[in-house]
Amino acid sequence: MSAHLPLMVWLSPSFPVGAFAYSHGLEWAFEAGDLHDAETLRDWLDALVRHGSLHNDLILFAAAFHAAQEKDTGALREVAELALALANSAERRLETVTQGNAFAAAVKASWPCEAIDRLGETWDGDVAYPVAVAVASAGHALPLPACLEAYGLAFVANLVSASVRLGIVGQTDGQRVTAGLVPALHEAAAGAERATLDDLGGCVLRSDIASLRHETQYSRLFRS
């Protein structure tokens, strides 16, 4: 199976995970004045790619992929639990488990594989989004480097889409921001492939604060 075909389906806006409903805290950052044009948006997303939530998600993705590939249920449970523990706000947890649970259910129904069945038998709690996508990818024997890059690009594209809807940038500037982040996405994916769980960590405090503040934001378009 060509790697790009299932990844294009699973990570497209049409796959039923509800990604469009989440801004990852961008909505509060826009209201607070942190984000107001293409340059500020690009800097914000670049920090998430290199030092923030996407950096961690890609490492978790790689670890879950290897655990599923090797049928190591103990390692898979560890990654599944750790991914939830790293959600540092109620909305971040909502964002990852709502999409993860929906992804696992949709793949099980439409793209079944032994690995997804084993995940359900191994871990009976909520599933973080990167863990769910990683297990399905391993179950369908997709190459890890392509999966990491595709997952990272989908993350950025979804937040750029949210930014367009918020009015931070227009559609053309949004595409420029996405294109400008491709080198960082390549580096982050390559780094995650070599990383271990000991490499998890982040330093994007303003993004974390945005996620917490969004929980009590008065007028909202997004769930996070």
Side-chain angles (χ1 to χ4, degrees):
M1 182 186 299
S2 297
H4 68 283
L5 293 178
L7 291 171
M8 287 174 67
V9 174
W10 297 346
L11 298 172
S12 76
S14 65
F15 204 71
V17 299
F20 62 87
Y22 302 96
S23 82
H24 208 68
L26 294 187
E27 187 168 23
W28 182 84
F30 173 55
E31 182 173 294
D34 291 354
L35 300 176
H36 50 81
D37 58 14
E39 182 178 357
T40 54
L41 176 63
R42 186 188 184 285
D43 287 347
W44 186 279
L45 297 181
D46 184 74
L48 293 179
V49 172
R50 297 179 186 276
H51 311 293
S53 51
L54 183 61
H55 165 80
N56 285 339
D57 278 358
L58 292 177
I59 293 175
L60 292 166
F61 189 115
F65 184 98
H66 289 308
Q69 191 177 52
E70 297 163 11
K71 300 182 181 180
D72 187 337
T73 55
L76 187 57
R77 280 195 300 271
E78 179 185 5
V79 178
E81 183 175 13
L82 183 57
L84 298 182
L86 288 174
N88 52 11
S89 72
E91 288 191 353
R92 286 277 172 88
R93 183 184 175 98
L94 173 72
E95 183 175 328
T96 194
V97 303
T98 303
Q99 293 182 83
N101 291 339
F103 181 90
V107 165
K108 187 172 184 178
S110 56
W111 296 74
C113 63
E114 181 184 344
I116 281 290
D117 292 336
R118 189 180 303 110
L119 174 62
E121 295 165 1
T122 300
W123 178 255
D124 60 1
D126 289 324
V127 181
Y129 189 37
V131 173
V133 181
V135 169
S137 299
H140 284 276
L142 304 183
L144 179 58
C147 295
L148 290 168
E149 290 189 349
Y151 185 89
L153 181 61
F155 174 92
V156 166
N158 188 63
L159 294 190
V160 168
S161 175
S163 300
V164 171
R165 282 174 280 157
L166 287 167
I168 299 171
V169 291
Q171 291 182 341
T172 300
D173 276 344
Q175 290 305 310
R176 291 193 183 106
V177 169
T178 302
L181 289 169
V182 166
L185 289 169
H186 281 306
E187 292 176 16
E193 191 178 2
R194 300 187 300 267
T196 70
L197 295 179
D198 290 337
D199 296 304
L200 289 166
C203 55
V204 285
L205 297 180
R206 192 66 175 172
S207 175
D208 295 339
I209 291 170
S211 180
L212 293 165
R213 291 291 182 88
H214 189 268
E215 294 176 11
T216 57
Q217 189 169 338
Y218 177 70
S219 179
R220 307 190 302 177
L221 293 175
F222 296 93
R223 299 186 71 189
S224 72

